[in-house]
Amino acid sequence: MRFVVPPHVVSTALVSALALIGVEAASAQEFAGRDKLFAHSNEFRRDVIQVTDGVYVAVGFALANVILVEGDDGLLIIDTTEGMGAAREVRAEFDRISTKPVRAIIYTHSHPDHVRGSRAFVGDVEPEVYAHEKQLRENLPTAVGRAGRDGGNQFGLALPAESRPNAGIGPSLVLGGGDGYMRPTRTFSGESYSFEVAGVKVVLGYAPGETDDQLFVWLPEKRTLLPGDNFYRAFPNLYAIRGVPLRRVDHWLESLSDMIALEPEYLVPSHTRPIMGRAAVDAALTGYHAGVSSVLQQTLAGMNRGLRPDELVEQVTLPPELADNPYLQEFYGTVAWSVRSIYTFHLGWFDGNATSLFPLSNRDRAARIIRLSGGEAAVLEAGRAALAAGNFQWAAELADYVLAGDNDHAEGRELKASALAELGERQISANARNYYLSMAQALRQGR
Ligand SMILES: [Zn+2]
């Protein structure tokens, strides 16, 4: 029987200690991803960082950062977090830097973690709110944190806090304090829009990628680039398992190229810490572009050879020179999900195998597999053996056969919950970890 290390226990030293005392602990290597994810929490220690003259960023207060630019007679705020509670805390910190009135709020895109804290930054002067005009057409999601998808949740909001070290791109989703969203008052529809506020020259560049309404903020006099969510210190979420329309990877790459061409000296993403220095910024952005481009090109080449999604996932990996790149670690998005998403974008849901055109229903297939295997008890026994042998994915799939016919089957639910918990503890991606552990918890709670 494998030993499940409790989620809050992360030290490899403890894993070794358990091995010494005779518990059959899984090797430290197996938990290397989790250890890296826990260590990644350091990225989100609370800080207000001065990036360059007049540019500051608040990191670690919410899932997303807030960026402050100080001008002659006023302030600019870029992105406002997902809730008024966190935004007020950031405002209090910014007040120690300057109490000039906020004259402009800029949204890099419409996601709730960038727009819901706006009211916290408004005083007597009503600021202009800038965004790309597509933002007004995007559905403003109001249901972030929804339980959805059978209890699976990429933010892990239903999990105990010690089970979720961080959210991959921020400490966690911080929804408290209510919604202070302010609707954009100034939008642009072209490729870029230049203006001046409080003596600060600002260029907004249309940059579709993570969303279709994404923009970057370029401060030419300060050589400072704010890339929104098209860059952060984690492999990008080219597909989000919370359920989103497919994201255009080719557009994302074009937007990265546009940003590289600006030759910024400072890079202040809306998640994770800023990068300072021309060489460091260029290395970060070009490495990011190379990583995403490699995954796209490998996937397309494999598709042209007739490979199907499952085969592509086995073959496409980051090349050795990029595998250790600190900005491409899979703390948030993963290469495998990206490959499936790219396939679906180009070829749709059908994998090309005629058998897949009108497949059996899960319920029908499961009943036949169970009969073939000698009955439900035999399938459960095989599942428990798989769990004990460390074949967690197979254990979960066997449990699914049992649950397909009876979703309330107690032993089936426990087998699946155990398998998902083991899988969750082996992930480097916060999204994957949270999803596995949330669903395991929901199964055990009878949901
Ligand atoms: Zn975001």
Side-chain angles (χ1 to χ4, degrees), residues 63-64 79 108-109 111 113-114 169 210 228-229 232 270-271 332:
L63 187 69
D79 289 349
T108 58
H109 61 298
H111 279 168
D113 53 320
H114 300 259
I169 53 165
E210 196 226 32
D229 278 11
Y232 38 66
S270 289
H271 296 277
Y332 200 56

Side-chain angles (χ1 to χ4, degrees), residues 51-52 55 217-220 222-226 264-266 268:
V51 179
T52 182
V55 180
V217 182
W218 172 235
L219 307 172
K222 299 177 187 296
R223 308 299 303 167
T224 298
L225 174 68
L226 285 45
E265 282 177 35
Y266 304 94
V268 193

Side-chain angles (χ1 to χ4, degrees), residues 407-437:
N407 194 42
D408 295 325
H409 194 292
E411 290 167 275
R413 288 175 81 92
E414 181 48 38
L415 173 61
K416 183 169 179 179
S418 299
L420 297 187
E422 295 282 5
L423 288 168
E425 292 298 338
R426 285 162 178 76
Q427 304 303 313
I428 189 171
S429 162
N431 289 333
R433 174 187 174 85
N434 287 334
Y435 209 95
Y436 279 126
L437 297 185

Side-chain angles (χ1 to χ4, degrees), residues 350-395:
F350 177 46
D351 67 0
N353 176 4
T355 309
S356 307
L357 282 171
F358 297 100
L360 295 176
S361 71
N362 280 336
R363 191 187 180 93
D364 190 3
R365 182 186 308 107
R368 290 166 189 267
I369 294 269
I370 287 172
R371 271 202 300 280
L372 188 67
S373 311
E376 199 174 83
V379 172
L380 283 168
E381 195 183 311
R384 286 190 283 261
L387 189 66
N391 298 319
F392 308 122
Q393 179 63 27
W394 181 226

